[in-house]
């Protein structure tokens, strides 16, 4: 039988938006329960509690995190969890998550020291000494890498769509938590409506707007402006912009034009464009593509680091050529490399898109069906020009269009 250890954890604090309590289950399990909104203050209290308990963990005592009572999880909460449990990847702490937004967050940005479970029984079954440990977990299945349990008859496109949806929902959930913490609207629905209105009014994708809210500095004390004194800057001159209005604000259009021009300029069999997303740990997120199989796109939808060619180019700040995927010792050992060769790609050429201030905005990668020395000199020059155009446009878009949308959120919250 379980019982409450105390009305509050050892910190003795009941946060404004989050409550921490501890239950003892049986003789050897402490269940740390969080409810409400895990904002910055709640994350700090959680960090203190975790630090104390993990430091004094004995072989005969185990810790389980119960997050079923959380309505929203802030970026600070995710960071605290990762900081305190990342060293426990060999003996992860079971964590119970039920709310869809929490499942999405932990699916897309997993903490290596946590083991996701659907119920308390499932969590207890994973602990050493449990009669069920090592077997199938009871309770409903949690999402896998695709963002949701597999469904009979579900194809690769469905899985890819679920993964993108999960990534989007995770960032939006964090943005809603920040709005609730910062502006104290009446309820979560108001925060969601405000995000949607700002997205539609300024034609900024919801995930992009949410990512900006998560990573932007806190607003100033002025209630009328988030970024006071910010000048209006016209879009840069670019080959990616066409038409009377240049459609510079239309993000999807610009990225589609970029991929089209990349394939045409390099005679490539496929192409992919990644952009850096600070809200996802500065990982590279696949934003536009052509000629790529769904299985490959599934594995490069979010790239956190090498040996993927795009991540190598970003890390080095210069183009990277993979003359033959099948003989590259790093790629052949990864799912990305195997997926590339399975869809017929043999040579890859990736180039970073670096803005004038030296920031890498993203990468452009081309695929060829035959191994070889990569694009010609003229093709590399054309690709360099297109990557520069991407970097200059995206830097402007972030600092103009996205900030306009943030100002809308601030003014109407």
């Amino acid at each position: 039988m379980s019982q409450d250890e105390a009305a509050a954890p050892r910190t003795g604090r009941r946060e404004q938006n989050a409550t921490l309590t501890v239950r003892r289950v049986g003789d050897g399990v402490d269940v740390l329960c969080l409810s409400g909104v895990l904002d910055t203050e709640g994350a700090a209290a959680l960090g203190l509690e975790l630090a104390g308990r993990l430091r004094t963990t004995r072989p005969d005592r185990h810790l389980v995190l119960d997050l079923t009572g959380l309505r929203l999880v802030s970026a600070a909460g995710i960071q605290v969890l990762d900081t305190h449990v990342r060293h426990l990847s060999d003996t992860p702490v079971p964590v119970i998550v039920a709310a869809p937004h929490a499942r999405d967050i932990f699916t897309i940005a997993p903490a290596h020291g946590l083991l996701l479970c659907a119920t308390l029984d499932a969590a207890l079954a994973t602990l050493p000494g449990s009669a069920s440990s090592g077997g199938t977990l009871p309770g409903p299945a949690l999402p896998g890498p695709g963002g949701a349990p597999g469904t009979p008859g579900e194809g690769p496109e469905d899985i890819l769509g679920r993964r993108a949806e999960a990534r989007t929902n995770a960032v939006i959930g964090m943005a809603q938590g920040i709005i609730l913490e910062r502006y104290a609207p009446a309820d979560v629905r108001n925060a969601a409506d405000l995000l949607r209105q700002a997205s539609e009014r300024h034609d900024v994708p919801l995930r992009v707007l949410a990512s900006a809210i998560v990573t932007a500095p806190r607003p100033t004390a002025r209630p009328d402006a988030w970024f006071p004194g910010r000048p209006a800057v016209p879009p840069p001159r670019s080959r990616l912009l066409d038409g009377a209005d240049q459609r510079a604000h239309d993000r999807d259009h610009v990225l589609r034009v970029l991929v089209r021009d990349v394939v045409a300029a390099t005679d490539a069999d496929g192409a992919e464009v990644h952009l850096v997303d600070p809200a996802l740990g500065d990982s590279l997120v696949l934003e536009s593509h052509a000629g790529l199989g769904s299985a490959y796109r599934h594995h490069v939808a979010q790239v956190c680091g090498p040996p993927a060619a795009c991540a190598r180019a970003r890390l080095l700040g210069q183009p990277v050529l993979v003359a033959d995927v099948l003989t590259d010792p790093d790629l052949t050992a990864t799912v990305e490399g195997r997926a590339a060769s399975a869809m017929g790609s043999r040579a890859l050429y990736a180039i970073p898109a670096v803005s004038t201030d030296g920031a890498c905005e993203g990468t452009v990668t081309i695929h060829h069906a035959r191994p070889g020395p990569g694009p010609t000199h003229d093709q590399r020059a054309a690709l360099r020009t297109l990557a520069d155009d991407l970097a200059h446009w995206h830097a402007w878009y972030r600092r103009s269009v996205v900030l306009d949308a943030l100002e809308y959120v601030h003014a109407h919250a």
Side-chain angles (χ1 to χ4, degrees), residues 259-260 263 269-273 288-292 297 367:
V259 168
R260 180 199 68 194
V263 171
D269 297 302
E272 58 188 280
V273 175
S288 188
H289 58 85
L292 306 181
R297 302 200 315 270
H367 295 241

Side-chain angles (χ1 to χ4, degrees), residues 51-378:
R53 289 187 175 275
L54 294 175
R55 187 168 52 244
T56 59
T57 296
R58 306 194 310 269
D60 59 336
R61 293 209 63 80
H62 305 286
L63 179 65
V64 172
L65 297 179
D66 186 352
L67 307 185
T68 55
L70 284 182
R71 292 186 288 114
L72 285 171
V73 183
S74 70
I78 297 297
Q79 181 63 43
V80 164
L81 285 171
D82 182 64
T83 298
H84 287 280
V85 304
R86 66 177 60 171
H87 65 289
L88 300 174
S89 56
D90 293 333
T91 57
V93 175
V95 56
I96 309 167
V97 290
H101 72 274
R103 292 200 302 266
D104 293 339
I105 290 173
F106 288 110
T107 298
I108 293 301
H112 296 296
L114 294 178
L115 176 63
L116 269 64
C117 302
T119 65
L120 178 58
D121 287 340
L124 296 177
T126 68
L127 299 176
S130 167
S132 303
S133 62
T136 302
L137 299 184
L142 285 175
T151 303
E154 188 175 61
E157 292 294 340
D158 299 310
I159 296 174
L160 187 67
R162 288 181 181 274
R163 181 174 184 176
E165 181 182 357
R167 181 172 63 248
T168 298
N169 291 343
V171 178
I172 292 173
M174 289 188 283
Q176 289 177 352
I178 290 174
I179 292 175
L180 286 171
E181 174 189 359
R182 187 172 294 165
Y183 301 104
D187 55 33
V188 177
R189 181 174 299 178
N190 288 348
D193 289 343
L194 179 60
L195 280 175
R196 198 157 33 247
Q197 291 165 9
S199 171
E200 293 173 355
R201 183 178 183 87
H202 293 277
D203 198 18
V204 175
L206 199 54
R207 177 184 62 84
V208 175
L209 175 59
S211 176
I213 290 175
V214 169
T215 57
R218 292 184 68 91
T220 64
R222 286 181 53 179
D224 60 327
W226 192 332
F227 306 95
R230 178 172 61 93
V233 179
R237 295 178 61 86
S238 171
R239 300 159 191 78
L240 304 177
L241 306 178
D242 52 13
D245 60 357
Q246 293 194 315
R247 301 184 68 174
H249 292 70
D250 191 337
R251 185 176 186 269
D252 289 341
H253 169 75
V254 172
L255 293 174
R256 285 196 303 269
V257 170
L258 172 66
V259 168
R260 180 199 68 194
D261 291 355
V262 164
V263 171
T266 61
D267 196 26
D269 297 302
E272 58 188 280
V273 175
H274 287 80
L275 294 176
V276 175
D277 192 331
L280 295 177
D282 280 335
S283 57
L284 292 167
V285 175
L286 181 65
E287 301 284 1
S288 188
H289 58 85
L292 306 181
S294 58
Y296 175 78
R297 302 200 315 270
H298 173 82
H299 292 298
V300 298
Q302 182 181 346
V303 178
C304 299
C310 59
R312 289 193 227 173
R314 180 192 178 193
L315 180 65
L316 297 174
Q318 61 187 27
V320 167
L321 170 66
V322 178
D324 191 345
V325 172
L326 296 182
T327 60
D328 185 281
D330 295 320
L331 275 184
T332 52
T334 68
V335 291
E336 296 97 329
R338 292 192 292 271
S341 61
M343 72 174 181
S345 290
R346 291 292 299 274
L348 306 175
Y349 185 79
I351 186 169
V354 181
S355 63
T356 53
D357 61 2
C360 182
E361 300 287 333
T363 59
V364 179
T365 305
I366 59 173
H367 295 241
H368 282 98
R370 294 182 179 181
T376 66
H377 179 271
D378 290 343

